[in-house]
Amino acid sequence: AQSVSQHNHHVILSEAASLELGCNYSYGGTVNLFWYVQYPGQHLQLLLKYFSGDPLVKGIKGFEAEFIKSKFSFNLRKPSVQWSDTAEYFCAVKLYNQGGKLIFGQGTELSVKP
Amino acid sequence: NAGVTQTPKFQVLKTGQSMTLQCAQDMNHEYMSWYRQDPGMGLRLIHYSVGAGITDQGEVPNGYNVSRSTTEDFPLRLLSAAPSQTSVYFCASSTTGGSTEAFFGQGTRLTVV
């Protein structure tokens, strides 16, 4: 079965620290890849997306992600986090050949200490 | 620009009651889906639809029914609510193909007592 795995359940960082959140998926077909963010009490918002082309994609608020096809990975990075980045982050995979079915990882809760 | 509209935002049910969570989108998206979000478990797919008249089960379909009579609407029915269905429910829509992301509703926080 298709699945998405996020390596970290809860990450605690100090402001200005660098961030990397891991995401791996298991699906051999064509995929679109996403990172969504959910701030406390809010719905999901798109951070960034990969469809094709340059495997390094940039999103909002200084986030970026790198798609490594050989590793089935799509890790999220940010060079310097801020307190306002405290949120839950979800990796998601859209399965092209299954009508656009979207599968999510378990989520990573990020807490940034001021 | 309404996007995806979910109602209600909050609901408390007694065990055994039934209810329908409404979801409507105005983007002419073929694909619509329902997720439940529980702490530490991410978003789990309940049911999805790739077009009017077509629905399929996701990862956790038991206790839920859906139908898709129009492109715009995708209601989720709880037939006999159970405390295990206490969760936050999100509806999402997107195109089935092409390179577009999913758009989410604001969520429904459901408590079953």
Side-chain angles (χ1 to χ4, degrees):
Chain A
Q2 309 93 3
S3 66
V4 179
S5 296
Q6 292 183 235
H7 308 157
N8 314 97
H9 292 296
H10 192 188
V11 173
I12 302 173
L13 295 174
S14 298
E15 276 194 316
S18 63
L19 170 72
E20 180 160 3
L21 302 182
C23 173
N24 286 89
Y25 65 94
S26 62
Y27 182 67
T30 302
V31 297
N32 296 154
L33 299 162
F34 306 89
W35 277 97
Y36 283 87
V37 60
Q38 185 180 33
Y39 298 103
Q42 296 189 25
H43 66 110
L44 278 79
Q45 302 172 39
L46 183 69
L47 259 185
L48 48 77
K49 57 191 176 185
Y50 173 80
F51 296 132
S52 64
D54 189 345
L56 184 63
V57 293
K58 295 190 184 300
I60 60 172
K61 303 186 180 185
F63 287 90
E64 64 179 30
E66 184 176 14
F67 171 49
I68 303 180
K69 190 174 182 179
S70 61
K71 295 185 177 180
F72 297 89
S73 71
F74 190 55
N75 292 353
L76 181 71
R77 299 195 291 249
K78 185 171 184 179
S80 176
V81 295
Q82 300 173 328
W83 176 79
S84 58
D85 293 324
T86 295
E88 190 156 17
Y89 293 80
F90 294 94
C91 180
V93 174
K94 182 178 178 181
L95 308 180
Y96 226 84
N97 296 334
Q98 294 194 24
K101 189 176 177 181
L102 189 64
I103 307 293
F104 281 87
Q106 306 94 318
T108 298
E109 186 178 347
L110 173 65
S111 300
V112 180
K113 297 180 178 179
Chain B
N1 293 345
V4 179
T5 303
Q6 272 184 251
T7 56
K9 290 186 178 179
F10 301 95
Q11 184 70 50
V12 178
L13 288 180
K14 293 182 179 179
T15 298
Q17 286 185 316
S18 63
M19 79 160 294
T20 299
L21 279 63
Q22 301 291 345
C23 177
Q25 53 93 7
D26 61 359
M27 297 172 280
N28 203 33
H29 285 164
E30 308 95 340
Y31 180 86
M32 295 186 73
S33 54
W34 278 100
Y35 296 87
R36 58 177 290 172
Q37 183 180 21
D38 302 290
M41 305 193 77
L43 277 80
R44 292 181 292 169
L45 184 63
I46 304 172
H47 285 285
Y48 65 101
S49 168
V50 297
I54 306 170
T55 64
D56 206 346
Q57 296 182 352
E59 184 183 358
V60 287
N62 293 341
Y64 307 95
N65 261 2
V66 292
S67 60
R68 185 95 179 268
S69 56
T70 66
T71 300
E72 295 77 19
D73 300 298
F74 191 46
L76 178 73
R77 297 183 188 83
L78 281 70
L79 305 175
S80 178
S84 61
Q85 293 178 304
T86 293
S87 187
V88 180
Y89 292 84
F90 287 98
C91 178
S93 76
S94 72
T95 60
T96 52
S99 300
T100 61
E101 69 269 26
F103 294 82
F104 285 83
Q106 296 283 337
T108 297
R109 185 173 293 275
L110 175 68
T111 302
V112 183
V113 297

